[in-house]
Each structure stands twice: as C-alpha cells, then as structure tokens.
Amino acid sequence: MFSRRNRQRALGLVVSSSLVAAGPCDIYSSGGTPCIAAHSTTRALYSSYTGSLYQVQRASDGAKTTISPLSAGGVANAAAQDTFCANTTCLITIIYDQSGRGNHLTQAPPGGFRGPESNGYDNLASAVGAPVTLNGKKAYGVFVSPGTGYRNDATNGVATGDGSEGMYAVLDGSHYNDACCFDYGNAETNNKDTGDAHMEAIYYGTCGVWGTGAGSGPWVMADLENGLFSGSGAGLNSADPSISYRFVTAAVKGKPGQWAIRGANAASAGSLSTYYNGARPSGYNPMHEEGAIILGIGGDNSNGAQGTFYEGAMTSGFPSDATENAVQADIAAAKYATAALTSGPALTVGSSVKLQATTPGYTTRYLAHTGSTVNTQVVSSSSSAALKQGATWKVRAGLGNSACYSFEAADAAGSYIRHYQFALQVAASDGSKQFKEDATFCPQAGLNGQGSSVRAWGYPTRYFRHYSNVGYAASNGGVQTFDATSSFNDDASWLISTGFV
C-alpha cells in the first residue's frame, strides 16, 4: 500500500527525471490513480508501450493495418500510414486502449440519435484530417466532423455508480461548434439518455444550452447527462474561461460529493488551472455512472458536434492536482505543434485558377458554375467570355482556416464554393463560422497521381468530385449516390492551372 508520502516521492521522481521516460499513464500510476483506458493516435502514453495505437482501413481494397509508435513510449509511425494510404483514402477504424484492459474505441452504433452511416452508425474519421508534429515528428489526430463518433459499451475497469475517476484529453482548441456534444469520457452503456448523473465526460465547445463559462467560448465543461456543467449548477461559471489555445489540455475528475474541471495550454509548460472544484450539482449526487466510453458524441449518440482529439486517458480513482500537473508537464514536453494541411502542387493566394477534370473521357471539362450550382462544363479557347469567367476561381486564404484555401468565383465577387448537404454550390459569404468552414478546402497530391485532390477542411473524408457532371463534396464510399467508389480517384483529381481569365 502506497502511503501519501511515498506516492509524492514516486511522483517527484517521475517529474524530475527525463519526461521521455515517463508517459501520462506512468505518472497517473505513480500518483496512485492508474489509467484504465488510454487512447492516442499521436503517441504512446506509457514509457514502455510498443503496441498498436490505432487501425486504419483504406478504400482501394478494404485492407487494414495498425499504426504503432516508432519506439517504446514514442510518437506514432505516421510514415507507415502515409505509405499504406498512398493514392487512396483511409479511415480510422479502431483507437486502441494502451492500458491493457481492452477498452478500444470503434465506430459508434445508433442510440437515442442515429448516425449518418448505414444502419444508423456514426461516421469514422479520416486518417489525414488532423496532422500535427510532436517534438518535430509527424503524427495524426482524430478529426471529428458532425456525424462522427467512437464508442465502447462493454468496458473493463471504468467507474460505475458513484465511483471515483479522472480523465484528461488533448484537443484542438480551434476546432469546435455549438452543437451537442464533443465529449470524451464515461457514458451510458445502451447509447441512450438514461437520466441525470449517468455520465461524466469532458466536453469542449460553445454549446450554451445548459451551462456556460466566461465570454463566448469555447469552454471546457463536463457532460453529466441532461446538462453541460461549468460549475456547481446550470448557468454561468465566470471562473471557467473561454479558451484560445491551439492545443488544449482538458481534465475532469469526480468522486462522491465532489468534482472538478481543469485546463491549460497543452503546448506550454505550467500547471493546469482549476476552473471549478467543489460540490456536485443538485440532482447529480450521488452519480450513477454506467462505464461506457465515448469520443466525439454524447451519451445518447447526439452527434452534431465537432472537434479534434489527439490523446486522452481515464483513471481509477480521483487524481490529485499534483498528479495532473505532472501529466500536463509531460504533455508540454511532447511539444505539440501544427503541421501542413496541404500537399501536392502549391497554390498562390490571389491567383486565378481553373480546375480540369482528369477522368478519362472528361478531360475537356472544367469545374464551373451555373448560378449557384457547381458543375463541370466543356471550356475551350473559343468559349464565350462568360463561360470562361464561370470556370475561373480566385484563390483566397481559407475563410475557416488560413492554412487551407477558399475559392472565390471570378464572376461573382464575395461568392465562394462551399458545400451544403455535400453538394457544391456558389454562395455569397454571410460571414458566419459555418459558412467560412464549409468554404474552406485543403488541396493534396492527386489521388490518381495527377494534379490535386481538394479535401473539405471540415469534412476531411470528402473531396471535390464531379458526378454526372455536377460538383459534390464526396467520400470514397458512403450512403450517397455520389459517394460511389467507382472511378472515385479520377473524379476527385484535378489539374489546377492558371485561370481562363
């Protein structure tokens, strides 16, 4: 049995020694609150872990492979994924539990809400939507678009009833919305709302239906079911700040009669700040935790939220602040940093371009528009000036993310290509966050080996595609007719060159 003094001494040894040799779950264990689930697509969360981090499946032949750390305790082998997924698209099918308890996360099934995939399942995340670097080494996070979710309803060791637990996650502080609910943590085992106090999960976003923090958000809050809480009850907790960090560490922990929310800049050394630590809200003491694990969704499979997850873990027992601060120090030492969202032929902001289809038999056609409808049309040197203008696009810095691009219609200043219900259209910007994100696209090397494929920033499983000569944001396989896998790589690859006008 660890005494408090021995735990503090062990924790101090972890903190003072090389952080490369101690992962977050080593630190939790030293603090007497071991991880019972450890999930990350970017790195190992134990110093000795060499097993699988996650599994990807490629569209070209349905083959799967697992991605492991480059070395024990190290960063994910992103190069292995890049090689496996070359000239096709890949989805993240499993996020493995590193704790040894088998609490892996897979495609979330339907519950109180149905997902957009076949049989009501949620979508799986693109394997390339969230590139980052850790200590200069490339890795990929889990980019959760609305409709995407992961879950495990048959877990081992996760807190139930009024049990004590802690959890943390490293998230993209710039990727969020106001929908319910981008969560990571403890949820119902039947995928439905079974009542107040049946959840305890980290939430990140700007949903203000229940609780809020200071300012306009986004906030770290807790989803306790039938309420997102920032403090002792529903409503405002002014001590819970709006977050502006690119990388966020979020932590929630609870035990009988008490719970806490903490957070920090994941890319900066320093302790976690405490946003709330006190009594449970009325009606939530005792808790009735059920022990499922969710990522990207609410306990009832509410799946309208978005966010990006890099790593996280859940513990047995209520971690001390000192333990969580040591975990935060380890996260900061990992040196999360942004990575390029684009690849392939470079585009120049301010230039005029045309996009030529590469599908055999359609190479005389270019991406154009007729009114608001984006389509492909045959354009040549003898075409009318109006048609040439309608097939020319101005390259702008991405309205929703300046690391990517937006395409303004040359013949309609202030109007951009956006996806709406996954059809491409030309529309005037209304200045909203939703429009800006829907009008932001990230070119990459062409899937068929020619030119560029243009990926939707907010839905990185989807690309510019012509189908029956109409433009869509299409996935490589899916429930929509325009998601057909036949000729996808050709239909989604474009030669981008100087515009007609």
Side-chain angles (χ1 to χ4, degrees):
M1 187 75 172
F2 246 170
S3 70
R4 177 175 294 181
R5 177 176 295 179
N6 286 338
R7 286 178 181 173
Q8 290 174 337
R9 182 179 297 119
L11 184 59
L13 289 172
V14 170
V15 175
S16 63
S17 63
S18 170
L19 287 168
V20 174
C25 286
D26 300 313
I27 295 168
Y28 277 120
S29 181
S30 294
T33 51
C35 293
I36 48 78
H39 303 110
S40 177
T41 57
T42 61
R43 65 170 181 151
L45 301 183
Y46 293 85
S47 61
S48 61
Y49 190 77
T50 59
S52 299
L53 299 176
Y54 62 105
Q55 180 189 80
V56 296
Q57 181 175 26
R58 64 188 179 201
S60 57
D61 59 1
K64 300 175 182 177
T65 194
T66 56
I67 305 301
S68 299
L70 289 165
S71 59
V75 176
N77 187 351
Q81 174 184 304
D82 291 341
T83 299
F84 181 79
C85 298
N87 300 120
T88 187
T89 59
C90 276
L91 300 175
I92 298 173
T93 47
I94 302 174
I95 305 169
Y96 289 104
D97 173 21
Q98 301 176 32
S99 76
R101 289 181 173 267
N103 292 324
H104 313 311
L105 297 175
T106 58
Q107 187 174 20
F113 293 85
R114 291 176 63 82
E117 265 294 348
S118 298
N119 300 315
Y121 276 70
D122 291 345
N123 290 328
L124 294 167
S126 165
V128 299
V132 289
T133 63
L134 284 73
N135 279 300
K137 297 176 181 178
K138 183 180 178 181
Y140 292 100
V142 183
F143 191 104
V144 173
S145 307
T148 301
Y150 293 82
R151 193 175 197 120
N152 187 329
D153 287 329
T155 59
N156 175 7
V158 181
T160 59
D162 203 24
S164 300
E165 65 179 348
M167 60 200 74
Y168 88 94
V170 177
L171 310 171
D172 180 345
S174 67
H175 186 206
Y176 58 88
N177 66 9
D178 62 359
C180 181
C181 289
F182 182 70
D183 292 348
Y184 173 69
N186 192 327
E188 294 95 337
T189 55
N190 68 354
N191 313 327
K192 297 179 181 179
D193 179 349
T194 55
D196 297 359
H198 283 250
M199 289 183 61
E200 188 163 56
I202 294 166
Y203 166 80
Y204 186 74
T206 56
C207 183
V209 175
W210 298 282
T212 62
S216 58
W219 308 287
V220 177
M221 296 194 287
D223 190 342
L224 304 181
E225 191 53 280
N226 296 318
L228 298 175
F229 291 89
S230 61
S232 61
L236 171 67
N237 170 17
S238 59
D240 190 3
S242 294
I243 300 292
S244 60
Y245 311 126
R246 174 56 177 81
F247 298 99
V248 173
T249 303
V252 167
K253 57 185 174 181
K255 63 182 179 180
Q258 181 182 352
W259 72 290
I261 309 173
R262 308 185 75 208
N265 181 349
S268 177
S271 298
L272 293 172
S273 296
T274 299
Y275 305 149
Y276 177 77
N277 189 341
R280 294 281 194 185
S282 176
Y284 291 79
N285 186 29
M287 294 291 286
H288 307 286
E289 299 148 0
E290 296 189 27
I293 303 175
I294 53 173
L295 173 60
I297 52 176
D300 57 2
N301 198 47
S302 46
N303 53 22
Q306 64 184 33
T308 297
F309 174 90
Y310 300 111
E311 65 175 76
M314 300 172 64
T315 70
S316 174
F318 187 87
S320 69
D321 286 359
T323 296
E324 291 177 324
N325 291 341
V327 170
Q328 164 62 11
D330 179 87
I331 293 166
K335 298 188 186 308
Y336 274 94
T338 58
L341 288 170
T342 62
S343 65
L347 296 182
T348 301
V349 171
S351 65
S352 295
V353 298
K354 58 181 182 288
L355 285 78
Q356 180 184 4
T358 65
T359 306
Y362 294 83
T363 57
T364 59
R365 305 186 74 90
Y366 293 81
L367 195 71
H369 73 104
T370 303
S372 63
T373 301
V374 174
N375 50 33
T376 61
Q377 300 184 46
V378 176
V379 189
S380 68
S381 59
S382 60
S383 295
S384 69
L387 179 54
K388 289 179 179 177
Q389 276 201 317
T392 298
W393 309 93
K394 302 284 189 180
V395 179
R396 305 301 187 197
L399 298 177
N401 188 317
S402 60
C404 294
Y405 302 98
S406 294
F407 296 91
E408 183 182 15
D411 59 353
S415 293
Y416 298 83
I417 298 176
R418 70 169 296 187
H419 59 84
Y420 183 77
Q421 296 181 345
F422 305 128
L424 297 180
Q425 61 177 226
V426 171
S429 173
D430 62 8
S432 68
K433 181 176 182 290
Q434 187 70 64
F435 183 96
K436 291 175 180 178
E437 292 179 352
D438 290 350
T440 300
F441 301 93
C442 308
Q444 65 181 58
L447 291 169
N448 70 352
Q450 300 181 64
S452 301
S453 292
V454 184
R455 189 175 72 246
W457 175 80
Y459 287 83
T461 61
R462 295 187 171 273
Y463 295 78
F464 278 11
R465 183 194 191 169
H466 64 91
Y467 189 87
S468 297
N469 299 325
V470 177
Y472 296 97
S475 63
N476 193 358
V479 298
Q480 305 293 337
T481 302
F482 52 79
D483 293 331
T485 57
S486 177
S487 77
F488 182 88
N489 282 10
D490 287 334
D491 294 350
S493 296
W494 307 83
L495 297 177
I496 304 179
S497 60
T498 301
F500 289 106
V501 294

